[in-house]
Amino acid sequence: MTKPLTLAIFQSMMPGGTAYGSWRHPENTAPDYLDVDHWVSLGKKLDAAGFDFLFFADAYGSPDTDDRFFDIRIKDAGIGAADPLVVVSAIAAATSKLGIVVTASTTTEKPQSLTRRYATLDHLTKGRIGWNIVTGSGQAASARLFGEAMIPHDERYLIAEDHIQLSLKLWEQSWDDGAILLDRAAGVYADPSKIHDIHHDGPYFKADGFLTVPPSPQRTPLLLQAGTSGPGRDFAAKYAEAVFLAGGDAKHVAANIADIRERAERYGRPADSIKFLVGVGFITAPTTEEAQAKRGEMLSFSTVESAAAFYATLTGIDLLALDRTKPLGDVKTEQGQSGVERFSGADGVPPATVGEILEDYRRNGVNGSIFVGDPSTVADQIEEFIELTGADGFAIQPYLVPGTYDDFIELLIPELRSRGLMREQPEGSTLREHLFGEGRKRLPREHAGAQLQTPVS
């Protein structure tokens, strides 16, 4: 049965964007990432078109100047990243429906400060904020910047578990519903009996006190996650309300989705309690020939060296130093295991050679799939992919900003709506309602955080 897709826009607050080298295109405004008008204009466009949310990828750190890819990254606008949380309020003030999701790491951010910022933003956005939970992206560079030893991959998920437990307590337990009285005549702003200290004595974080921000429209922001290593899938099954997956072979994507859904059920959550969004690029034009010409232009900017540099940033693995005719083999990395497992071969898909990984990254970027053609052709590709994978929607990776989105809005959205694949506007007023339906503003009762909730008044 046809159902509307969840559609997110994939962005990062940096000059290079998500398609290698495309910043050089004269119509690409991605290098304007430090201009607030750039983000306000983009937010208005996406809001008017009816997209569910704007997603910001983010990471701390930069490679060492002795890194073999340093010069490539600098020349190809792969370095220079600002803090996307700073622009959320500006985008929110200029929009009325568009959700905004920002990445933050449980390794670099303390729960006490992170929960305060996201609760504040949930108020300022009127419930349209989401947190993409990562344990560390570009972890080697981040650790170097903070002057810390790099934490092993699996231990980062133990930290994340402790982090989210404390975060949920702060959001869900600090204030009872109805605590704010705002009784000017009696001189009572809030009921002291409805504000509570929380106590947390975890292996990595400790806290005694309460979140100073009163309950926001969602209380807990929409929770998203992107890792697909073993620990990542288990963390997603327990806590995530939406999961980002790299594209690529539909069988592999389908297996990841099925595995996480099964794990979620073991945690007592319905299989459909998580929305799965696949990272995909869209290149469309009035005719397939024109779309293919745009695809060719996109690839003319992309090099194997840039692809290798980005892969090394994510995983710590230098593909250019390896035999391109052979698979990676049984490689383990403490930096980004999902980027390795994506090509390791499983679910009837053979392992990719190093050369194939390089070409995949050069052609498709981190998100892994590109749909190319006229609107009808692309819509057919979408329907086939959704049918094969069981995914719920897409995180749309741009080639040009805003050109990719203009084409999507003008050409593809009418086709999607005619097929029942996109709503006129997102449901409800909050981001959680956009994904799960009007009236579902707070964490559902099956979620691990539900036992922490105060009663809804």
Side-chain angles (χ1 to χ4, degrees), residues 247-263:
D249 191 280
K251 291 181 181 178
H252 188 58
V253 174
N256 271 329
I257 291 174
D259 179 70
I260 296 172
R261 289 200 195 281
E262 183 181 341
R263 293 177 190 236

Side-chain angles (χ1 to χ4, degrees), residues 290-324:
E290 290 172 285
Q292 289 171 341
K294 287 186 178 182
R295 171 68 159 152
E297 182 184 49
M298 171 186 171
L299 291 175
S300 72
F301 292 113
S302 182
T303 66
V304 167
E305 289 74 21
S306 291
F310 193 76
Y311 190 81
T313 298
L314 293 178
T315 65
I317 297 171
D318 179 1
L319 294 177
L320 296 183
L322 303 177
D323 186 338
R324 299 192 191 187

Side-chain angles (χ1 to χ4, degrees), residues 98-119:
L98 183 71
I100 309 168
V101 173
V102 183
T103 300
S105 168
T106 53
T107 304
T108 57
E109 301 283 355
K110 289 186 176 181
Q112 295 89 335
S113 54
L114 182 143
T115 52
R116 182 170 175 256
R117 287 198 295 273
Y118 277 84

Side-chain angles (χ1 to χ4, degrees), residues 65-305:
T65 52
D66 294 331
D67 185 299
R68 75 171 283 180
F69 295 110
F70 184 80
D71 288 353
I72 294 173
R73 289 182 174 115
I74 291 290
K75 292 176 181 177
D76 206 22
I79 292 179
D83 187 345
L85 274 173
V86 176
V87 300
V88 169
S89 295
I91 297 170
T95 57
S96 61
K97 284 277 193 177
L98 183 71
I100 309 168
V101 173
V102 183
T103 300
S105 168
T106 53
T107 304
T108 57
E109 301 283 355
K110 289 186 176 181
Q112 295 89 335
S113 54
L114 182 143
T115 52
R116 182 170 175 256
R117 287 198 295 273
Y118 277 84
T120 302
L121 287 171
D122 201 47
H123 278 289
L124 298 182
T125 63
K126 296 180 172 60
R128 292 184 282 141
I129 196 71
W131 172 25
N132 178 44
I133 307 167
V134 297
T135 64
S137 178
Q139 183 61 23
S142 174
R144 189 173 67 86
L145 177 69
F146 282 84
E148 301 169 347
M150 191 169 78
I151 301 168
H153 176 273
D154 289 2
E155 185 180 359
R156 293 203 299 272
Y157 276 100
L158 298 178
I159 295 171
E161 172 77 23
D162 197 26
H163 192 296
I164 190 65
Q165 284 287 326
L166 174 51
S167 297
L168 287 167
K169 288 179 182 178
L170 288 167
W171 280 318
E172 296 290 344
Q173 292 186 331
S174 295
W175 297 71
D176 292 350
D177 289 322
I180 301 293
L181 301 176
L182 201 61
D183 188 337
R184 300 178 191 271
V188 179
Y189 172 71
D191 183 345
S193 70
K194 293 186 176 183
I195 301 173
H196 316 285
D197 278 354
I198 64 97
H199 306 283
H200 184 84
D201 187 13
Y204 298 96
F205 302 104
K206 303 182 188 304
D208 287 284
F210 65 93
L211 182 65
T212 57
V213 184
S216 61
Q218 297 182 119
R219 274 195 181 257
T220 294
L222 186 79
L223 301 175
L224 303 93
Q225 192 264 358
T228 54
S229 64
R233 291 196 297 272
D234 204 59
F235 186 88
K238 188 174 182 180
Y239 295 110
E241 298 173 271
V243 171
F244 290 118
L245 299 168
D249 191 280
K251 291 181 181 178
H252 188 58
V253 174
N256 271 329
I257 291 174
D259 179 70
I260 296 172
R261 289 200 195 281
E262 183 181 341
R263 293 177 190 236
E265 289 182 306
R266 293 203 294 267
Y267 281 114
R269 304 177 67 191
D272 62 356
S273 62
I274 303 173
K275 297 291 186 182
F276 290 88
L277 277 65
V278 181
V280 169
F282 291 90
I283 299 180
T284 190
T287 68
T288 292
E289 291 73 22
E290 290 172 285
Q292 289 171 341
K294 287 186 178 182
R295 171 68 159 152
E297 182 184 49
M298 171 186 171
L299 291 175
S300 72
F301 292 113
S302 182
T303 66
V304 167
E305 289 74 21

Side-chain angles (χ1 to χ4, degrees), residues 354-398:
V354 168
E356 288 169 340
I357 297 171
L358 282 168
E359 185 62 7
D360 188 279
Y361 260 68
R362 186 187 79 83
R363 294 181 63 85
N364 302 321
V366 65
N367 280 330
S369 292
I370 305 285
F371 294 160
V372 182
D374 62 76
S376 179
T377 298
V378 171
D380 288 344
Q381 293 169 355
I382 288 171
E383 290 189 312
E384 180 182 15
F385 191 86
I386 293 295
E387 179 68 26
L388 290 171
T389 62
D392 299 287
F394 300 101
I396 301 166
Q397 172 182 303

Side-chain angles (χ1 to χ4, degrees), residues 409-430:
I409 292 165
E410 294 168 14
L411 301 172
L412 192 52
I413 283 182
E415 183 69 25
L416 295 179
R417 286 184 172 145
S418 73
R419 300 185 186 205
L421 291 172
M422 186 174 177
R423 301 179 183 90
E424 289 296 326
Q425 287 294 328
E427 283 195 56
S429 60
T430 68

